[in-house]
Amino acid sequence: MALFDDPAVWLPIVFALLMGLSILIYVVLDGFDLGVGVLFPFADADERDRMVASIGPFWDANETWLVLAIGLLLVAFPAAHGTILTALYLPVALLLIGLILRGVAFEFRAKAPASHKPLWNVAFFVGSLMASLTQGFMLGLYIMGLEYTAETIAFALLTSVCLTAGYAFIGACWLILKTEGRLQARAVVWAKRGLAGVVAGIAAVSLASPLVSPRIFDKWFSVPEVLLLAPLPLVSAGLVVLLFVSLRHLPDDGERWSWIPFVTATVLFALAFAGLAYSFYPYVVPERMTIYEAASAPESLFIIFVGTCFVLPAIIGYTVLSYTVFRGKARELRYD
Amino acid sequence: MDALLLSRIQFGANISFHILFPTITIALGWLLLYLKLRYNASKDDKWMAVYRFWVKVFALSFAMGVVSGITMSFQFGTNWPGFMETVGNIAGPLLAYEVLTAFFLEAVFLGIMLFGFSRVPGWLHTLATLLVAVGTTLSAFWILVLNSWMHTPVGFEMRDGVAHATDWWAIVFNPSMPYRLTHMLLASGLTVAFLVAGLSAFRWLLKDRSDGVRVALRTGVTLAAVLIPVQIYVGDLHGLNTLEYQPQKVAAMEGNWQTGSHVPLLLFALPDEEARENRFEVGIPSGASLILTHRADGVVPGLDDFVAEDGTALHPPVAPVFWAFRIMVGTGLAMLVVSWVATWLVWRRNGFARFNPWLARGLVAMSFAGWLATLAGWYTTEIGRQPWLVQGVLATADAVGDVSAGMVASTLAMYLTAYALLTAAYVGVLFYLARRATKQQEPSPTPPKAGAVTHAAPAE
């Protein structure tokens, strides 16, 4: 195949795919545990412990996908890494403070004196909220080409609210899967409300990105692309209907439906992400720098590629092991 | 202050805060494995009691390390884009291997290690404990490879201002890597040894005479007593390696301005870079020559050899390197004395019951001595690398990002506030956990029977 003749061509594509995959896995996995944090104020004390128990064994590894994604950007596209992160300097700093707060609050709320627990609960919520809002803000600004004007900031604020709603939504779907009784019933209510935010967010991004960029407009609305791509919005709409219907049937006896919202939400997130990725390819910095211009030397990428081929299956294997060990309804977190 | 200095302070603050926690988890992972294996072999609950206490400390420290580590990975891009743009072809694969081989391994198996005790077979739990320890150590390996390469870069060539790898074997096993890695792993061991000894001594002072505290105190001080002479020896080797590859750093560590023989070992001095001399020097004649060359008339490089023709210094700022080095060595010597005396006392017949209360207080005071020595050591070597980011390849000033000083100042203030609060909370919670563990011992007036300590130990 001609594509594989030149490593300077196929390695950047492979790494863009890997980075995209990491970001998607991050958005789904840390999305649900950030979302659980965002939902914290709506729950009572017992429910909070149960909510934390449902993400306890996973959140560390979930955040590692962000490290991998940012690491791949750093190592595979060093020129883009600097451009993007200096443009997003302040939101990145706020994101990091948020992640620090929630990550440690997780441990402190269980280990500090009981009188401090409410304070760490607040830190867990505020940290999760900060991380969700700033990620949404960065997404919006990225779509707008990393420019700061009144319009782009307004759009970024909209995406930040929508992504936060999306995380709260997938967090609620996770709780439907992992909890039972009253908390599960409340999670269904939260999911119904979050779904509106998800739909608004996907609609806003789908409308805005072709309007901002004629290039993206052409990629979607010229013939035959518009026909080939038609299944994407249609399937997404079908998934939203499925979510709506399944949430109306929940909570159900016998738990036949409880896995449907989380799985459907994951597929919906994946489709939305695929749409974005299609819009921006081959650019890594929108309209300014392609993955080929930003890529590291092929020999360095190749060294990482070889390692990835061996290690990634192992990572996926033991991640599956972990989710298998802690399958079923969340129980109290105990060290013994 | 300009954006360069602020960015340096911010990076320094981030990495100083970060390194505190891996320094604990690297060695504590192996200590937990040791405790688990002792328990597996003996089925004696005292080992499990120690394990249960320290696994909480591990979980907390690990979380602190993870979140502060995420900050590090972003800092490269937000503040130092020139670093990856120039040496990304070398730093990239090393960082990627750290994430791929270490981060996921430790994060995933940590969940099983912490919460899986009753859910998975015993062997899988022990294996998870082993893999977490392997993960933390692998992570240290890769990051120290990269850090060492920044001090002693080899195995590459420059093309159009960008470094390209030519020999990966040489890059990974670069000249300072074996010394720096060993020095850091031992530092981690010592940090944990003193932390374990310190918190156990704290519980001893609270009149906790349980078997768990006894074995923990004994394990802590003995580990410290064994590791500290090894560390002093390895530190000396590391210094000799630095003398060979970065003589300007050694000149700053010794506060030596003129190259010459019979250079004294300075115990105290105030280096003055304006006048290019020391004030209030107190030293041991020929001491530095003896340590560095093993001969009294050995030649020690001087700082004045590293000045450009126009007068700009090509050596690091002298006073911080000089003093950081003395704090590290001083702490190390204090560790030697305290750990040897404590080991002798605790291994006497009935040594735990009649342990010395003043020495116990000393151990409590030294609970975080490892942090002090580790930070001082890192300041010595990293400030000692200035004005270079990558020795001889990339100057620090050339890598800094295009972000305004005001912006950096605001984020720096934010990070410093968060770090100060979290460090205080962390230290406070460790002593709180020790106090509570001791309280939980008290209700049973009889010595805890086998099985008595295995009751409810929720994850808090």
Side-chain angles (χ1 to χ4, degrees):
Chain A
M1 229 166 105
L3 177 66
F4 288 100
D5 290 346
D6 184 1
V9 172
W10 65 267
L11 275 170
I13 296 180
V14 166
F15 275 85
L17 284 174
L18 278 176
M19 189 172 76
L21 186 68
S22 309
I23 295 175
L24 176 62
I25 295 177
Y26 172 76
V27 166
V28 170
L29 294 186
D30 212 33
F32 81 68
D33 71 48
L34 284 170
V36 167
V38 171
L39 293 169
F40 233 45
F42 305 110
D44 62 34
D46 282 349
E47 291 169 345
R48 286 176 182 174
D49 287 346
R50 191 50 50 113
M51 286 159 79
V52 165
S54 79
I55 56 177
F58 309 115
W59 76 270
D60 249 342
N62 292 350
E63 279 191 3
T64 307
W65 289 99
L66 176 64
V67 180
L68 179 64
I70 208 70
L72 286 173
L73 178 63
L74 175 86
V75 304
F77 308 107
H81 178 257
T83 311
I84 294 172
L85 290 186
T86 46
L88 297 173
Y89 188 84
L90 262 188
V92 163
L94 290 170
L95 163 70
L96 295 171
I97 294 280
L99 288 178
I100 290 173
L101 268 186
R102 76 179 293 274
V104 301
F106 204 99
E107 291 290 330
F108 277 122
R109 69 183 289 283
K111 295 187 174 65
S115 59
H116 295 180
K117 192 170 175 179
L119 192 70
W120 290 113
N121 280 340
V122 171
F124 185 63
F125 164 67
V126 171
S128 303
L129 186 67
M130 274 171 78
S132 306
L133 287 172
T134 48
Q135 285 179 17
F137 187 86
M138 290 190 275
L139 171 68
L141 216 56
Y142 181 85
I143 290 170
M144 291 287 145
L146 299 172
E147 307 276 353
Y148 285 86
T149 66
E151 293 83 32
T152 60
I153 291 173
F155 179 76
L157 289 174
L158 175 69
T159 51
S160 82
V161 173
C162 290
L163 189 75
T164 305
Y167 281 176
F169 166 71
I170 199 168
C173 293
W174 175 253
L175 291 174
I176 294 171
L177 175 63
K178 297 295 281 185
T179 65
E180 51 209 329
R182 185 157 159 269
L183 177 57
Q184 190 189 36
R186 297 182 89 165
V188 172
V189 178
W190 297 333
K192 282 177 184 162
R193 289 181 192 154
L195 185 56
V198 175
V199 174
I202 294 176
V205 171
S206 306
L207 289 175
S209 36
L211 289 180
V212 171
S213 155
R215 187 186 58 79
I216 293 177
F217 187 93
D218 287 343
K219 281 187 86 166
W220 283 88
F221 296 108
S222 45
V223 183
E225 281 85 349
V226 69
L227 297 173
L228 294 172
L229 291 166
L232 198 68
L234 293 177
V235 171
S236 301
L239 291 173
V240 171
V241 172
L242 177 60
L243 277 168
F244 188 75
V245 173
S246 65
L247 287 173
R248 284 187 57 185
H249 285 79
L250 282 163
D252 64 333
D253 296 328
E255 296 283 339
R256 282 195 308 277
W257 287 71
S258 63
W259 59 274
I260 292 177
F262 185 74
V263 172
T264 314
T266 303
V267 178
L268 185 62
F269 276 39
L271 287 181
F273 187 83
L276 263 185
Y278 172 76
S279 294
F280 284 100
Y281 177 82
Y283 287 92
V284 59
V285 183
E287 317 300 327
R288 272 189 267 172
M289 196 186 289
T290 66
I291 55 173
Y292 307 104
E293 292 159 354
S296 296
E299 61 270 23
S300 290
L301 287 181
F302 193 73
I303 287 275
I304 309 174
F305 178 69
V306 171
T308 309
C309 290
F310 285 99
V311 179
L312 200 60
I315 292 175
I316 291 170
Y318 54 67
T319 302
V320 169
L321 170 72
S322 161
Y323 278 84
T324 311
V325 166
F326 298 102
R327 70 188 174 278
K329 299 295 178 187
R331 290 189 250 149
E332 186 191 0
L333 287 184
R334 298 170 69 91
Y335 284 165
D336 57 351
Chain B
M1 280 195 270
D2 60 353
L4 171 64
L5 186 59
L6 285 166
S7 296
R8 283 183 59 198
I9 294 173
Q10 176 163 295
F11 197 86
N14 281 325
I15 204 156
S16 299
F17 179 70
H18 173 65
I19 197 63
L20 300 178
F21 304 103
T23 304
I24 288 175
T25 51
I26 293 166
L28 190 51
W30 292 105
L31 183 67
L32 287 172
L33 179 67
Y34 167 78
L35 295 168
K36 183 82 205 295
L37 291 174
R38 288 298 295 255
Y39 170 75
N40 287 352
S42 67
K43 295 293 169 214
D44 186 338
D45 282 317
K46 71 185 179 203
W47 296 108
M48 217 51 209
V50 184
Y51 180 95
R52 292 230 171 78
F53 179 82
W54 286 98
V55 85
K56 290 175 197 166
V57 176
F58 187 89
L60 182 60
S61 312
F62 195 90
M64 300 280 275
V66 168
V67 295
S68 56
I70 294 175
T71 315
M72 298 308 311
S73 64
F74 279 89
Q75 287 274 308
F76 289 122
T78 52
N79 294 81
W80 304 100
F83 177 68
M84 289 309 285
E85 280 158 20
T86 312
V87 298
N89 288 327
I90 284 128
L94 299 177
L95 288 169
Y97 272 80
E98 182 181 14
V99 178
L100 289 170
T101 61
F103 287 173
F104 280 104
L105 191 70
E106 52 187 9
V108 170
F109 283 101
L110 180 73
I112 296 176
M113 169 182 156
L114 292 181
F115 306 120
F117 190 76
S118 59
R119 285 178 176 248
V120 297
W123 64 266
L124 182 53
H125 185 258
T126 306
L127 180 69
T129 311
L130 169 70
L131 289 174
V132 169
V134 169
T136 56
T137 309
L138 269 180
S139 158
F141 172 80
W142 288 113
I143 204 69
L144 279 152
V145 166
L146 173 54
N147 179 272
S148 298
W149 184 84
M150 290 159 63
H151 288 266
T152 52
V154 288
F156 70 103
E157 62 184 22
M158 297 301 286
R159 279 183 239 147
D160 305 325
V162 174
H164 286 257
T166 53
D167 181 353
W168 279 104
W169 192 259
I171 290 170
V172 171
F173 295 93
N174 65 75
S176 64
M177 188 280 279
Y179 302 97
R180 203 181 308 276
L181 176 65
T182 316
H183 201 40
M184 180 59 203
L185 293 180
L186 287 167
S188 173
L190 282 161
T191 302
V192 167
F194 272 90
L195 185 61
V196 171
L199 286 192
S200 304
F202 178 69
R203 289 175 69 178
W204 186 88
L205 287 167
L206 294 174
K207 307 271 183 279
D208 188 336
R209 297 289 182 270
S210 60
D211 276 351
V213 173
R214 184 171 59 81
V215 293
L217 180 66
R218 213 159 70 173
T219 307
V221 295
T222 312
L223 183 61
V226 171
L227 291 183
I228 188 71
V230 183
Q231 179 69 310
I232 290 171
Y233 177 68
V234 170
D236 180 55
L237 291 181
H238 188 22
L240 296 178
N241 179 266
T242 307
L243 176 65
E244 188 178 342
Y245 291 95
Q246 294 174 301
Q248 74 282 11
K249 188 194 290 182
V250 173
M253 284 155 68
E254 300 295 346
N256 185 38
W257 296 93
Q258 275 102 35
T259 302
S261 57
H262 295 286
V263 173
L265 175 65
L266 298 179
L267 302 177
F268 185 92
L270 297 180
D272 182 345
E273 276 195 58
E274 292 287 309
R276 300 198 68 78
E277 62 180 24
N278 296 328
R279 296 174 199 281
F280 309 110
E281 255 186 38
V282 181
I284 302 170
S286 303
S289 289
L290 267 175
I291 289 177
L292 288 164
T293 67
H294 302 153
R295 285 172 40 191
D297 61 353
V299 174
V300 174
L303 291 158
D304 288 349
D305 287 2
F306 303 95
V307 179
E309 281 181 11
D310 63 355
T312 46
L314 300 176
H315 58 73
V318 183
V321 176
F322 180 85
W323 279 109
F325 180 61
R326 266 146 198 76
I327 291 170
M328 176 187 76
V329 172
T331 312
L333 292 176
M335 286 175 157
L336 179 71
V337 174
V338 170
S339 67
W340 281 17
V341 173
T343 301
W344 175 63
L345 286 183
V346 84
W347 282 95
R348 289 178 307 172
R349 183 191 302 276
N350 212 10
F352 179 65
R354 54 193 187 107
F355 197 70
N356 182 312
W358 283 103
L359 189 62
R361 288 182 192 108
L363 284 172
V364 174
M366 288 185 74
S367 298
F368 294 96
W371 277 5
L372 180 66
T374 304
L375 283 182
W378 276 111
Y379 289 164
T380 305
T381 196
E382 297 302 302
I383 300 175
R385 193 190 54 217
Q386 303 303 325
W388 298 106
L389 182 53
V390 179
Q391 179 77 41
V393 175
L394 176 63
T396 309
D398 294 336
V400 73
D402 182 22
V403 180
S404 74
M407 193 97 101
V408 183
S410 62
T411 55
L412 174 61
M414 221 157 60
Y415 285 124
L416 287 179
T417 312
Y419 292 164
L421 291 174
L422 291 178
T423 309
Y426 175 84
V427 173
V429 164
L430 255 50
F431 282 99
Y432 168 76
L433 286 175
R435 200 182 284 277
R436 200 177 58 180
T438 291
K439 267 206 192 102
Q440 281 169 353
Q441 300 285 348
E442 275 166 5
S444 58
T446 50
K449 296 186 291 285
V453 284
T454 57
H455 68 279
E460 36 183 75

